[in-house]
Amino acid sequence: MSLESTATPNVAVMSAKVADVPHYLETTGQASAFHQVAIVARVAGTLTAIHYQDGQQVSQGQLLFEIDPATYQAQLQQAQASLKQAKASYRNAQLMLEREQNLLKRHMTAQSDVDSALASRDSASAQIQSAEGDIALAKLNLGYTRIRAPFSGVMSAHQEDVGSLVGQNGVTTLATLVQQSPIYVDFTLASQDIQQVQQALQGQAVTSIAVQAGLSAAAHYGLEGHLDYLAPSVDEQTDTQAFRAVFTNAERALLPGQFVRLRLKLGQYHHALLLPDSAIGTEQNGRYVMVVNQDNKVERKAVSVTAGPTGWQRVESGLQPNQKVVVSDITRLRAGMSVNTHPSDKPLHLLSDAQQTSPALGSSHHVF
């Protein structure tokens, strides 16, 4: 056996740092559109124009498609002519009614003739209303030949080309409009995490809980939002509750369907015990640390940890504040080994919420 293999290892040790840190709950979610709608042809005709580029950002009310309006302009003109004719008939029927009423006063006609004139006048009035309805319908159909964006968003690729006959034998989808700003992120929480959220709310509005989001390639949680919705019941099959957060997403960093890391800020931990990520080991039974006792021998301690500030874990149980914990090369150590120690000078930087990253260890949720 070589001298190198029997040498007493040198390790860096430190006691857990004590600080007030935010209470975060981490999970993953999937972004979904704030609004998404299929743009369809509501009247039949030939598609004559497309007024956007595929993938273009459009504004509410912006013209997107045009369908040949000739048929619907003709129908409007026909309805307008019918209205003029109905009004003329009404004027004539009104004069006939007044004439018959005057004759009745002089006992020169029968009541039945007055009743007949009254019926003719009312029929002409109904024809006016019918013609006015036809005009309203014709104007509506003519308006449908110019299809505008119902809200601001991003247009998908068009599904029909100029010259295509659309709106025949059912609905024709021309494209899809997606609103990306603001944007939703949907996620679920298990029962133990649901209780943490309920305790943080304590009768406050759902929107009072801040939520931060980070993309898989990002080094920090750069997007700020808030909780928007929680389902009124727990899914019996999965024992989870559905939640939804909303983000302004002004820069459109999130896209519908994208998976993101989420962090709910539920409060503050006071006098928390903090250890660097390098001090936390993982085994089949959970997390552990290697502690150096008074005889400079290593002891393995099972601990419970959760995510802390960047590069650090918050120790919930299993460790005393004054114990010396190995913070380097813990995988090469075994319980009972003698070690030489030197203090670690790793500083603790408590950064802003947006700068805090998600540690790989200590989180009970999957992190991308």
Side-chain angles (χ1 to χ4, degrees), residues 109-154:
T109 189
Q111 180 63 45
S112 60
D113 293 333
V114 175
D115 293 342
S116 178
L118 179 61
S120 297
R121 194 279 309 271
D122 291 344
S123 177
S125 177
Q127 290 175 357
I128 290 176
Q129 293 178 351
S130 177
E132 289 175 340
D134 290 341
I135 288 176
L137 181 59
K139 286 182 177 179
L140 189 64
N141 287 333
L142 182 59
Y144 288 153
T145 64
R146 294 171 62 84
I147 302 172
R148 299 181 181 275
F151 51 82
S152 299
V154 178

Coordinates of all heavy atoms in Angstrom, one line a residue, residues 109-154:
T109 N -118.7 54.4 -45.1 CA -118.1 53.1 -45.4 C -118.3 52.2 -44.2 O -118.8 52.6 -43.1 CB -116.6 53.3 -45.5 OG1 -116.0 52.1 -46.0 CG2 -115.9 53.7 -44.2
A110 N -118.0 50.9 -44.4 CA -118.3 49.9 -43.3 C -117.0 49.8 -42.4 O -115.9 50.1 -42.8 CB -118.6 48.6 -43.9
Q111 N -117.3 49.3 -41.2 CA -116.1 49.1 -40.3 C -115.2 48.0 -40.8 O -114.0 48.1 -40.6 CB -116.7 48.6 -38.9 CG -115.6 48.4 -37.8 CD -114.8 49.6 -37.5 OE1 -115.4 50.7 -37.3 NE2 -113.5 49.5 -37.4
S112 N -115.7 47.1 -41.6 CA -114.9 46.0 -42.1 C -113.8 46.6 -43.1 O -112.7 46.1 -43.2 CB -115.7 45.0 -42.8 OG -116.5 45.6 -43.9
D113 N -114.2 47.7 -43.8 CA -113.3 48.3 -44.7 C -112.1 49.0 -44.0 O -111.0 49.0 -44.4 CB -114.0 49.3 -45.6 CG -115.0 48.6 -46.6 OD1 -114.7 47.4 -46.9 OD2 -115.9 49.2 -47.0
V114 N -112.5 49.6 -42.8 CA -111.5 50.2 -42.0 C -110.5 49.2 -41.4 O -109.3 49.4 -41.4 CB -112.1 51.0 -40.8 CG1 -111.0 51.6 -39.9 CG2 -113.0 52.2 -41.4
D115 N -111.1 48.1 -41.0 CA -110.3 47.0 -40.4 C -109.3 46.4 -41.5 O -108.2 46.1 -41.2 CB -111.2 45.9 -39.9 CG -112.0 46.3 -38.7 OD1 -111.6 47.4 -38.1 OD2 -113.0 45.7 -38.3
S116 N -109.8 46.3 -42.7 CA -109.0 45.8 -43.8 C -107.8 46.8 -44.1 O -106.7 46.4 -44.3 CB -109.8 45.6 -45.1 OG -109.0 45.1 -46.1
A117 N -108.1 48.1 -44.1 CA -107.1 49.1 -44.3 C -106.0 49.1 -43.2 O -104.8 49.3 -43.4 CB -107.7 50.5 -44.5
L118 N -106.5 48.9 -42.0 CA -105.6 48.8 -40.8 C -104.7 47.6 -40.9 O -103.5 47.7 -40.7 CB -106.4 48.7 -39.5 CG -105.6 48.6 -38.2 CD1 -104.7 49.9 -38.1 CD2 -106.5 48.5 -37.0
A119 N -105.2 46.5 -41.4 CA -104.4 45.3 -41.5 C -103.4 45.5 -42.6 O -102.2 45.0 -42.5 CB -105.3 44.1 -41.9
S120 N -103.7 46.2 -43.7 CA -102.8 46.4 -44.8 C -101.7 47.3 -44.3 O -100.5 47.1 -44.7 CB -103.5 47.1 -46.0 OG -104.5 46.2 -46.5
R121 N -102.1 48.4 -43.5 CA -101.0 49.3 -43.0 C -100.1 48.5 -42.0 O -98.8 48.7 -42.1 CB -101.7 50.4 -42.2 CG -100.8 51.6 -41.9 CD -100.0 51.4 -40.7 NE -100.7 51.0 -39.5 CZ -101.3 51.8 -38.6 NH1 -101.2 53.1 -38.7 NH2 -101.9 51.3 -37.6
D122 N -100.6 47.6 -41.2 CA -99.7 46.9 -40.3 C -98.8 45.9 -41.0 O -97.7 45.7 -40.6 CB -100.6 46.1 -39.2 CG -101.3 47.1 -38.3 OD1 -100.8 48.2 -38.2 OD2 -102.2 46.6 -37.6
S123 N -99.4 45.3 -42.1 CA -98.6 44.4 -42.9 C -97.4 45.2 -43.5 O -96.3 44.6 -43.6 CB -99.4 43.8 -44.0 OG -98.7 42.9 -44.8
A124 N -97.7 46.4 -44.0 CA -96.6 47.2 -44.6 C -95.5 47.5 -43.6 O -94.4 47.6 -43.9 CB -97.2 48.4 -45.3
S125 N -96.0 47.8 -42.4 CA -95.0 48.1 -41.3 C -94.1 46.9 -41.0 O -92.9 47.1 -40.8 CB -95.8 48.5 -40.0 OG -94.9 48.7 -39.0
A126 N -94.7 45.7 -41.0 CA -94.0 44.5 -40.8 C -92.9 44.3 -41.9 O -91.8 43.8 -41.7 CB -94.9 43.3 -40.7
Q127 N -93.3 44.7 -43.1 CA -92.4 44.5 -44.2 C -91.2 45.4 -44.1 O -90.1 45.1 -44.4 CB -93.1 44.8 -45.6 CG -94.1 43.7 -46.0 CD -94.9 44.1 -47.2 OE1 -94.8 45.2 -47.7 NE2 -95.8 43.2 -47.6
I128 N -91.4 46.6 -43.5 CA -90.3 47.5 -43.2 C -89.4 46.9 -42.3 O -88.1 46.9 -42.4 CB -90.8 48.9 -42.7 CG1 -91.6 49.7 -43.8 CG2 -89.7 49.7 -42.1 CD1 -92.2 50.9 -43.4
Q129 N -89.9 46.4 -41.2 CA -89.1 45.7 -40.2 C -88.3 44.5 -40.7 O -87.1 44.3 -40.4 CB -89.9 45.3 -39.0 CG -90.5 46.4 -38.2 CD -91.4 45.9 -37.1 OE1 -91.7 44.7 -37.0 NE2 -91.9 46.8 -36.2
S130 N -88.9 43.8 -41.6 CA -88.3 42.6 -42.2 C -87.1 43.1 -43.1 O -86.0 42.6 -43.1 CB -89.3 41.8 -43.1 OG -88.6 40.8 -43.7
A131 N -87.4 44.2 -43.9 CA -86.4 44.7 -44.8 C -85.2 45.3 -44.0 O -84.0 45.1 -44.4 CB -87.0 45.8 -45.7
E132 N -85.5 46.0 -42.9 CA -84.4 46.5 -42.0 C -83.6 45.3 -41.5 O -82.4 45.5 -41.3 CB -85.0 47.3 -40.9 CG -85.6 48.6 -41.4 CD -86.3 49.4 -40.3 OE1 -86.7 48.8 -39.3 OE2 -86.5 50.6 -40.4
G133 N -84.2 44.2 -41.1 CA -83.5 43.1 -40.6 C -82.6 42.5 -41.7 O -81.5 42.1 -41.4
D134 N -83.1 42.5 -42.9 CA -82.3 42.0 -44.1 C -81.1 42.9 -44.3 O -80.0 42.4 -44.6 CB -83.2 41.9 -45.3 CG -84.2 40.8 -45.3 OD1 -84.1 39.9 -44.4 OD2 -85.2 40.9 -46.0
I135 N -81.3 44.2 -44.1 CA -80.2 45.1 -44.3 C -79.1 44.8 -43.2 O -77.9 44.8 -43.5 CB -80.7 46.5 -44.3 CG1 -81.4 46.9 -45.5 CG2 -79.5 47.5 -44.1 CD1 -82.0 48.3 -45.5
A136 N -79.6 44.7 -42.0 CA -78.6 44.4 -40.9 C -77.8 43.1 -41.1 O -76.6 43.1 -40.9 CB -79.4 44.3 -39.5
L137 N -78.5 42.1 -41.6 CA -77.9 40.8 -41.9 C -76.9 41.0 -43.0 O -75.8 40.4 -43.0 CB -78.9 39.7 -42.2 CG -78.4 38.3 -42.5 CD1 -77.5 37.8 -41.3 CD2 -79.5 37.4 -42.8
A138 N -77.3 41.7 -44.0 CA -76.4 41.9 -45.2 C -75.2 42.7 -44.8 O -74.1 42.4 -45.3 CB -77.2 42.6 -46.3
K139 N -75.4 43.7 -44.0 CA -74.2 44.5 -43.5 C -73.3 43.6 -42.7 O -72.0 43.7 -42.8 CB -74.7 45.7 -42.7 CG -75.3 46.8 -43.5 CD -75.6 48.0 -42.6 CE -76.2 49.1 -43.5 NZ -76.6 50.3 -42.6
L140 N -73.9 42.7 -41.8 CA -73.1 41.9 -41.0 C -72.2 40.9 -41.9 O -71.0 40.7 -41.7 CB -74.0 41.1 -40.1 CG -73.3 40.2 -39.0 CD1 -72.6 41.1 -38.0 CD2 -74.4 39.4 -38.2
N141 N -72.9 40.3 -42.9 CA -72.2 39.4 -43.8 C -71.1 40.1 -44.6 O -70.0 39.6 -44.8 CB -73.1 38.7 -44.7 CG -74.0 37.6 -44.0 OD1 -73.5 37.1 -43.0 ND2 -75.2 37.4 -44.5
L142 N -71.4 41.3 -45.0 CA -70.4 42.1 -45.7 C -69.2 42.4 -44.8 O -68.1 42.4 -45.3 CB -71.1 43.4 -46.2 CG -70.2 44.3 -47.1 CD1 -69.6 43.6 -48.3 CD2 -70.9 45.6 -47.5
G143 N -69.5 42.7 -43.6 CA -68.4 43.0 -42.6 C -67.5 41.8 -42.4 O -66.3 41.9 -42.2
Y144 N -68.1 40.6 -42.5 CA -67.4 39.3 -42.3 C -66.4 39.1 -43.4 O -65.5 38.2 -43.3 CB -68.3 38.2 -42.1 CG -69.1 38.1 -40.8 CD1 -70.3 37.4 -40.7 CD2 -68.6 38.6 -39.7 CE1 -71.0 37.4 -39.5 CE2 -69.2 38.6 -38.5 CZ -70.4 37.9 -38.4 OH -71.1 37.9 -37.2
T145 N -66.5 39.8 -44.5 CA -65.6 39.6 -45.6 C -64.2 40.3 -45.3 O -63.2 40.0 -46.0 CB -66.1 40.2 -46.9 OG1 -66.3 41.6 -46.8 CG2 -67.4 39.5 -47.3
R146 N -64.2 41.2 -44.3 CA -62.9 41.8 -43.9 C -62.7 41.3 -42.4 O -63.3 41.7 -41.5 CB -63.0 43.3 -43.9 CG -63.2 43.8 -45.4 CD -63.5 45.3 -45.4 NE -62.4 46.1 -44.8 CZ -61.3 46.5 -45.4 NH1 -61.1 46.2 -46.7 NH2 -60.4 47.3 -44.8
I147 N -61.7 40.4 -42.3 CA -61.5 39.7 -41.0 C -60.4 40.4 -40.3 O -59.3 40.6 -40.8 CB -61.1 38.2 -41.3 CG1 -62.3 37.5 -42.0 CG2 -60.9 37.5 -39.9 CD1 -61.9 36.1 -42.5
R148 N -60.7 40.9 -39.0 CA -59.7 41.6 -38.3 C -59.3 40.9 -37.0 O -60.0 40.0 -36.6 CB -60.3 43.0 -37.9 CG -60.7 43.8 -39.1 CD -61.3 45.2 -38.7 NE -61.6 46.0 -39.9 CZ -60.8 46.7 -40.6 NH1 -59.5 46.8 -40.2 NH2 -61.2 47.4 -41.6
A149 N -58.2 41.3 -36.4 CA -57.7 40.6 -35.2 C -58.5 41.0 -34.0 O -58.7 42.2 -33.7 CB -56.2 41.0 -35.0
P150 N -59.1 40.0 -33.3 CA -59.9 40.3 -32.1 C -59.1 40.8 -30.9 O -59.7 41.4 -30.0 CB -60.6 39.0 -31.8 CG -59.7 37.9 -32.4 CD -59.0 38.6 -33.6
F151 N -57.8 40.6 -30.9 CA -56.9 41.1 -29.9 C -55.5 41.1 -30.4 O -55.2 40.5 -31.5 CB -57.0 40.2 -28.6 CG -56.8 38.7 -28.8 CD1 -55.6 38.2 -29.0 CD2 -57.9 37.9 -28.9 CE1 -55.4 36.8 -29.2 CE2 -57.8 36.5 -29.1 CZ -56.5 36.0 -29.3
S152 N -54.6 41.7 -29.7 CA -53.2 41.8 -30.2 C -52.5 40.4 -29.9 O -52.7 39.8 -28.9 CB -52.5 42.9 -29.5 OG -53.0 44.2 -29.8
G153 N -51.7 40.0 -30.8 CA -51.0 38.8 -30.7 C -50.1 38.4 -31.9 O -49.9 39.3 -32.7
V154 N -49.7 37.2 -31.9 CA -48.9 36.7 -33.0 C -49.7 35.7 -33.9 O -50.3 34.8 -33.4 CB -47.6 35.9 -32.4 CG1 -46.8 35.4 -33.6 CG2 -46.8 36.9 -31.6

